[in-house]
Amino acid sequence: MKLGQVTIKDIARELNVSTSTVSRALKDYPGISDDTKKKVKDLAEKLHYRPNAVALSLRKSKSFTIGVIIPEVVHFFFSTVISGIEEIAYANGYNVILCQTNEKLQRELSSIETMLDNQIDGLLVSFSKETENFDHFTKLMEQNFPIVFFDRVPDIENTVNVTVNDFKGAYDATKHLIEQGYKNIIHLAGPKTLPISAKRKDGYKQALQDHQMILNPEWIIPCPIGTQEESYEITKTLFKSNENHPDAIFASNDIAAAGAMMAVKELGLKVPEDVGIVGFSNWQFSSMIDPPLSSVEQPGFEMGEKATAMLLEMIEKKKESNWEAKTIVLETELLVRKSSQK
Amino acid sequence: MKLGQVTIKDIARELNVSTSTVSRALKDYPGISDDTKKKVKDLAEKLHYRPNAVALSLRKSKSFTIGVIIPEVVHFFFSTVISGIEEIAYANGYNVILCQTNEKLQRELSSIETMLDNQIDGLLVSFSKETENFDHFTKLMEQNFPIVFFDRVPDIENTVNVTVNDFKGAYDATKHLIEQGYKNIIHLAGPKTLPISAKRKDGYKQALQDHQMILNPEWIIPCPIGTQEESYEITKTLFKSNENHPDAIFASNDIAAAGAMMAVKELGLKVPEDVGIVGFSNWQFSSMIDPPLSSVEQPGFEMGEKATAMLLEMIEKKKESNWEAKTIVLETELLVRKSSQK
């Protein structure tokens, strides 16, 4: 038996169990006893079993299916990306299957397994908030499996990515608030694990600095969960405890901005007169809330189109060497609505 | 060669082309010449090639993957259904793959092909607005392939379904408007092809009748596309051309209700003082618009859970006879907000 060519069948035969038992044991699924799981895993390790490796190298024909790993389909931005992906995929005779990770690493891992089992030709990925180790992607890339990352770019080498200029988007939003005459602008920051959160924070800081505004580190407030309820609570507490409360909020996404707006209004303050608010992502609801929310629009549809076009190119030109690392950066657009016009 | 056991390989061998060419030709993908497509299709017909049939009957092991066919992932209601589906699926060691049809029959057909190629164990389906013929589902059901329909129940026999009480939801919404003192209540109806549209319309009609209100057939206005822009235009035209304009709107979904609200406000009328509005589905944005929109909440998460639980039962108890036809009907809840309180 050659190293690295062990299959699930070999393990099943050796232990006299079914292949599906082996598969489930390796994936830690429920319904398999701990004893069996241990036996299977021990043997897999002993035999140097590598999941997918064999399947990938034995693959001959194309499935004309691409897989998309996405944190949340309900996220308006991601749903526009999906539309862009489907536009290009269907036009080229490819089908699209989606898996939602709900921002959970475990689901990301099992979604990738499922998609590979299903013989997808390539993968479009926006990884979860929990993902800090990218080994599951590097392993695939080492085998020249086509992957394009969108929106969230991993901190690893030789990736192909499509992202937006989050720094510039945040810079523009903050600059706009400064130009409207707001003096004390806080930032509701996104989850720390996401590079986009850091870029938006940096854009906010740079805009303040370029306009000779004081940067108060206490006014960069992390919203790790990213729900409306969270930013509502955070904003309410902050404004209640500060007699000299801030007069503007730049939130790293529209959900946080909407929560902050609810809190501010409930405290009897007026938007935009007393407090100006700008969000990020231009959700579907943002133009409909009261007052309509200014936001940074990201070209989601275009991102999906670009990412898919690059992926299909990689699939069609499948080759033995590494893909050329490449990052396409798309520009954002600030949509000024009533919430930030003093 | 036995009837019904012809595979793509047989066709490929006979015509001396690759299996992927045959597969793409049968699916009418681009990049295959019309001549080849004709040859492949003619031979497939001559040999009585039945897609999937063989794959399905030869299937031995489970993939622990279920497929979900959904019209639009961005639709808030559907996204909550997906969350419910994933909750039950993951807890039972199953993965979930999604395909979005964008309300197009052609994509529904190719999504099902893709999922079957990918060896899913069962299918959860909410069919597209374009789907009026259900042969692609009956064919699968005849082979005892596990399918559960959710939200949209097809007009065919022996299906397993989870739906909500659309009639009662619409009845409650209309009754509420009557009780608030509104006299001339119009209905913005949903796409005609969807049974849920008819049920919501019937609920509206029954509520008017039960309260001795006149039913003006002209005030049941179809919104076939279902976008905000469409209902905005329709409402604006209707209110402009009627001096005695309606004083209330029951829309078959919140998107249509939001479009109508925009039109009414733009004409200088006040909501809820001059015009009361109630939607259906309780979208995420509905509580945030101005004024907050009353809506009929559907138990999306529960629908996803129930549908998946039934599907897994069918998968685990896989049998030779037909599944027992069954429809679970979940109740809705009217959420009264400012838009309809006179």
Side-chain angles (χ1 to χ4, degrees):
Chain A
M1 195 182 287
K2 275 194 214 161
L3 200 71
Q5 296 204 347
V6 179
T7 69
I8 284 181
K9 276 188 192 165
D10 300 320
I11 299 171
R13 203 181 304 119
E14 192 95 6
L15 296 176
N16 202 20
V17 296
S18 73
T19 52
S20 87
T21 300
V22 174
S23 169
R24 301 185 91 188
L26 288 171
K27 289 173 188 170
D28 255 336
Y29 282 169
I32 306 282
S33 73
D34 287 347
D35 185 45
T36 306
K37 280 186 188 169
K38 193 180 176 325
K39 271 189 203 156
V40 169
K41 287 180 180 177
D42 287 352
L43 184 61
E45 204 183 328
K46 191 179 146 204
L47 297 179
H48 297 276
Y49 167 73
R50 288 190 304 163
N52 307 320
V54 180
L56 286 176
S57 61
L58 286 184
R59 177 173 306 182
K60 275 168 205 152
S61 64
K62 292 209 294 181
S63 66
F64 292 99
T65 302
I66 59 175
V68 181
I69 307 271
I70 213 152
E72 282 182 294
V73 290
V74 69
H75 195 304
F76 184 63
F77 169 68
F78 285 131
S79 73
T80 60
V81 177
I82 293 172
S83 299
I85 290 170
E86 291 178 335
E87 191 70 20
I88 299 294
Y90 281 98
N92 287 279
Y94 283 77
N95 266 300
V96 177
I97 58 176
L98 312 169
C99 279
Q100 173 174 260
T101 62
N102 266 311
E103 303 284 9
K104 289 186 179 33
L105 174 62
Q106 198 48 50
R107 290 203 182 172
E108 184 170 295
L109 295 171
S110 72
S111 294
I112 291 175
E113 290 276 349
T114 302
M115 289 193 162
L116 292 176
D117 286 351
N118 290 342
Q119 305 273 322
I120 50 163
D121 294 333
L123 202 54
L124 296 169
V125 177
S126 196
F127 51 85
S128 85
K129 283 179 192 165
E130 282 183 7
T131 310
E132 297 185 53
N133 174 311
F134 300 99
D135 286 355
H136 48 301
F137 298 122
T138 28
K139 268 182 203 160
L140 287 174
M141 287 162 57
E142 279 163 9
Q143 294 174 64
N144 287 308
F145 186 78
I147 302 183
V148 174
F149 295 93
F150 62 92
D151 194 44
R152 303 177 179 177
V153 175
D155 193 14
I156 48 176
E157 285 184 351
N158 292 321
T159 53
V160 178
N161 318 291
V162 184
T163 183
V164 297
N165 197 338
D166 289 281
F167 176 89
K168 178 76 167 24
Y171 185 97
D172 290 346
T174 312
K175 181 168 167 257
H176 159 70
L177 286 168
I178 297 168
E179 287 172 351
Q180 288 291 315
Y182 296 106
K183 303 287 180 207
N184 299 309
I185 305 165
I186 64 167
H187 176 47
L188 298 179
K192 272 189 185 165
T193 50
L194 295 183
I196 54 169
S197 303
K199 285 177 190 158
R200 290 177 193 172
K201 188 173 70 182
D202 289 347
Y204 158 80
K205 286 160 74 174
Q206 190 65 47
L208 291 184
Q209 200 180 315
D210 287 356
H211 292 81
Q212 291 79 47
M213 309 267 291
I214 293 161
L215 173 64
N216 182 345
E218 278 173 29
W219 282 6
I220 297 176
I221 301 150
C223 296
I225 311 172
T227 60
Q228 199 180 323
E229 290 73 25
E230 181 189 47
S231 71
Y232 169 85
E233 292 299 340
I234 287 174
T235 307
K236 207 158 181 183
T237 309
L238 177 78
F239 275 68
K240 264 188 179 168
S241 62
N242 269 293
E243 258 186 62
N244 297 318
H245 62 73
D247 64 356
I249 299 168
F250 165 54
S252 83
N253 63 70
D254 281 5
I255 293 281
M261 189 187 281
M262 276 178 70
V264 164
K265 282 164 67 177
E266 224 173 271
L267 291 168
L269 297 166
K270 281 189 178 157
V271 181
E273 294 82 352
D274 303 321
V275 183
I277 304 179
V278 181
F280 208 109
S281 263
N282 192 30
W283 280 59
Q284 203 177 17
F285 69 79
S286 305
S287 60
M288 293 193 264
I289 63 174
D290 176 35
L293 178 67
S294 298
S295 189
V296 178
E297 175 155 87
Q298 297 171 287
F301 190 84
E302 194 187 346
M303 176 178 278
E305 285 185 319
K306 286 255 167 30
T308 309
M310 293 207 292
L311 185 72
L312 295 190
E313 207 186 310
M314 290 163 79
I315 292 170
E316 315 256 319
K317 289 189 190 165
K318 194 147 192 174
K319 51 173 185 172
E320 294 308 310
S321 63
N322 271 334
W323 309 108
E324 202 179 327
K326 190 175 174 180
T327 297
I328 293 185
V329 179
L330 304 174
E331 291 305 323
T332 60
E333 187 190 354
L334 177 66
L335 302 178
V336 177
R337 300 200 181 96
K338 204 179 156 191
S339 72
S340 63
Q341 296 192 75
K342 224 177 184 171
Chain B
M1 193 181 285
K2 276 195 215 161
L3 200 71
Q5 295 204 349
V6 180
T7 69
I8 283 182
K9 276 187 193 165
D10 300 319
I11 299 171
R13 202 181 305 120
E14 192 94 4
L15 296 175
N16 202 21
V17 296
S18 72
T19 52
S20 85
T21 300
V22 174
S23 168
R24 301 185 91 190
L26 289 172
K27 290 173 186 167
D28 255 335
Y29 282 170
I32 306 282
S33 73
D34 287 346
D35 186 46
T36 306
K37 280 185 188 170
K38 191 180 176 329
K39 272 189 202 157
V40 169
K41 287 179 180 177
D42 286 352
L43 185 60
E45 205 183 328
K46 191 180 146 204
L47 297 179
H48 298 274
Y49 166 73
R50 287 190 306 163
N52 308 319
V54 181
L56 287 176
S57 61
L58 287 182
R59 177 173 305 181
K60 277 169 205 151
S61 63
K62 292 210 294 181
S63 66
F64 292 98
T65 301
I66 59 175
V68 181
I69 307 271
I70 212 152
E72 282 184 295
V73 291
V74 70
H75 196 303
F76 184 64
F77 168 67
F78 285 131
S79 72
T80 59
V81 177
I82 293 172
S83 299
I85 290 170
E86 291 178 335
E87 191 71 20
I88 298 294
Y90 281 98
N92 286 279
Y94 282 77
N95 266 301
V96 177
I97 58 177
L98 312 169
C99 279
Q100 174 173 259
T101 62
N102 266 311
E103 304 283 8
K104 288 186 180 34
L105 173 62
Q106 198 48 50
R107 289 202 183 174
E108 184 170 295
L109 294 171
S110 72
S111 296
I112 291 174
E113 290 276 347
T114 303
M115 289 193 163
L116 292 175
D117 287 350
N118 290 343
Q119 306 272 322
I120 50 164
D121 294 332
L123 201 54
L124 295 169
V125 176
S126 196
F127 53 84
S128 85
K129 283 179 192 164
E130 283 182 6
T131 310
E132 298 184 52
N133 173 313
F134 300 100
D135 286 354
H136 47 300
F137 298 121
T138 28
K139 270 182 200 160
L140 287 173
M141 287 162 58
E142 279 163 9
Q143 296 174 61
N144 287 307
F145 186 79
I147 302 184
V148 175
F149 295 92
F150 62 93
D151 194 44
R152 303 177 181 178
V153 175
D155 192 14
I156 47 176
E157 286 184 348
N158 293 320
T159 54
V160 178
N161 318 292
V162 185
T163 184
V164 298
N165 197 339
D166 289 282
F167 176 88
K168 179 75 165 27
Y171 186 97
D172 290 347
T174 311
K175 181 168 166 256
H176 158 71
L177 286 168
I178 297 169
E179 286 172 352
Q180 287 292 315
Y182 295 106
K183 304 287 180 206
N184 299 308
I185 306 165
I186 64 166
H187 176 48
L188 298 178
K192 272 188 186 167
T193 50
L194 296 183
I196 54 169
S197 304
K199 285 178 190 156
R200 292 179 192 170
K201 188 175 67 183
D202 290 346
Y204 157 81
K205 286 160 75 174
Q206 190 65 47
L208 291 184
Q209 200 180 314
D210 286 356
H211 293 81
Q212 290 77 45
M213 309 266 291
I214 293 160
L215 173 65
N216 183 345
E218 277 174 28
W219 281 7
I220 297 176
I221 301 149
C223 296
I225 311 173
T227 61
Q228 198 179 324
E229 291 72 23
E230 181 191 44
S231 71
Y232 169 85
E233 292 299 339
I234 287 174
T235 308
K236 208 158 181 185
T237 309
L238 177 78
F239 275 68
K240 264 188 179 168
S241 61
N242 268 295
E243 258 187 59
N244 297 318
H245 63 71
D247 64 355
I249 299 168
F250 165 54
S252 83
N253 64 71
D254 281 5
I255 294 279
M261 188 186 281
M262 277 177 70
V264 165
K265 281 165 66 177
E266 225 173 89
L267 291 169
L269 297 166
K270 282 188 179 159
V271 181
E273 293 83 352
D274 302 321
V275 182
I277 304 178
V278 181
F280 208 108
S281 263
N282 192 31
W283 280 58
Q284 202 176 17
F285 69 79
S286 305
S287 60
M288 293 194 264
I289 62 174
D290 175 35
L293 179 67
S294 299
S295 190
V296 178
E297 176 155 86
Q298 297 171 287
F301 190 84
E302 195 188 344
M303 177 179 279
E305 286 185 319
K306 286 256 167 26
T308 309
M310 293 207 292
L311 185 72
L312 295 189
E313 207 188 308
M314 289 163 79
I315 292 171
E316 315 257 321
K317 289 188 190 165
K318 194 148 189 174
K319 52 174 184 169
E320 296 308 310
S321 63
N322 270 336
W323 310 109
E324 202 179 327
K326 191 175 173 180
T327 297
I328 293 184
V329 179
L330 304 174
E331 291 305 323
T332 59
E333 187 189 354
L334 177 66
L335 302 178
V336 176
R337 301 200 181 96
K338 203 178 156 193
S339 71
S340 63
Q341 295 192 76
K342 223 176 185 173

